[in-house]
């Protein structure tokens, strides 16, 4: 069952950052990324956001598909809306799985034209304002951010 988490933290110089986050447990099933797209669309509508939806859905599908295909385990999805004191809101997507992980620097090689795979992280890099990977105690977390 998705969970709603609301966090408020004090930032330097009395700026406040408000974050509203939703979590989703993604099963280790190749059909699961399709269900994730429906879930994300509903969360964005709840926040009255429509601008980042197409790019965010493509990024979410790619990261969730990678987690299921390469990690082979269920994944925890976190979708957060950050509202820093600057007024610009940012949507952050996190996909955490228990798979073996990867080094994103190793994915920087050119993709062969005839290849059917290997372009996903290039899409994530192109469509997001920032993205990254960090190890966790049980696997890895891949995240991407988009301004609203």
């Amino acid at each position: 069952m998705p969970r709603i988490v609301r966090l408020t933290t004090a930032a330097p110089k009395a700026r406040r950052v408000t974050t509203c986050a939703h979590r989703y447990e993604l099963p280790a099933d190749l059909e699961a990324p399709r269900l994730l797209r429906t879930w994300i669309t509903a969360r964005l509508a709840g926040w009255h956001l429509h601008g980042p939806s197409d790019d965010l859905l493509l990024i979410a599908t790619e990261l969730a598909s990678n987690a299921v295909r390469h990690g082979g385990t269920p994944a925890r999805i976190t979708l957060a809306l950050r509202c820093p004191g600057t007024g610009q809101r940012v949507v952050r997507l996190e996909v955490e799985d228990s798979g073996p992980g990867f080094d994103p620097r190793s994915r920087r090689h050119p993709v062969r034209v005839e290849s059917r795979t290997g372009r996903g992280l290039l899409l994530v890099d192109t469509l997001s304002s920032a993205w990254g990977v960090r190890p966790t105690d049980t696997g890895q977390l891949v995240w991407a951010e988009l301004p609203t």
Side-chain angles (χ1 to χ4, degrees):
M1 183 83 189
R3 240 176 36 184
I4 299 173
V5 181
R6 296 186 193 281
L7 306 168
T8 302
T9 56
K13 298 185 182 181
R15 286 188 183 168
R16 294 177 63 82
V17 176
T18 303
T19 302
C20 180
H22 296 270
R23 293 204 172 94
Y24 182 82
E25 298 297 323
L26 185 76
D29 178 349
L30 291 176
E31 292 297 316
R34 181 179 53 81
L35 302 173
L36 177 62
R37 293 171 65 93
T38 302
W39 179 80
I40 288 173
T41 300
R43 300 294 73 76
L44 292 176
W47 289 331
H48 305 288
L49 295 177
H50 305 286
S53 64
D54 289 340
D55 291 347
L56 183 62
L57 291 175
L58 186 56
I59 290 169
T61 301
E62 176 57 32
L63 296 183
S65 296
N66 283 352
V68 170
R69 185 173 290 117
H70 302 297
T73 66
R76 172 176 290 149
I77 310 298
T78 303
L79 185 66
L81 176 63
R82 292 185 15 228
C83 303
T86 60
Q88 176 156 354
R89 299 182 304 174
V90 174
V91 175
R92 180 180 175 106
L93 174 75
E94 297 178 350
V95 178
E96 183 178 356
D97 66 63
S98 302
F102 73 99
D103 181 355
R105 294 171 296 194
S106 68
R107 304 288 194 233
R108 303 254 186 240
H109 62 289
V111 177
R112 294 173 44 177
V113 174
E114 64 275 6
S115 176
R116 291 184 160 181
T117 62
R119 293 179 182 83
L121 292 178
L122 179 60
L123 286 171
V124 172
D125 187 51
T126 301
L127 297 175
S128 64
S129 58
W131 75 280
V133 179
R134 70 174 173 80
T136 65
D137 290 340
T138 59
Q140 69 176 352
L141 183 141
V142 183
W143 59 271
E145 293 184 343
L146 290 93
T148 62

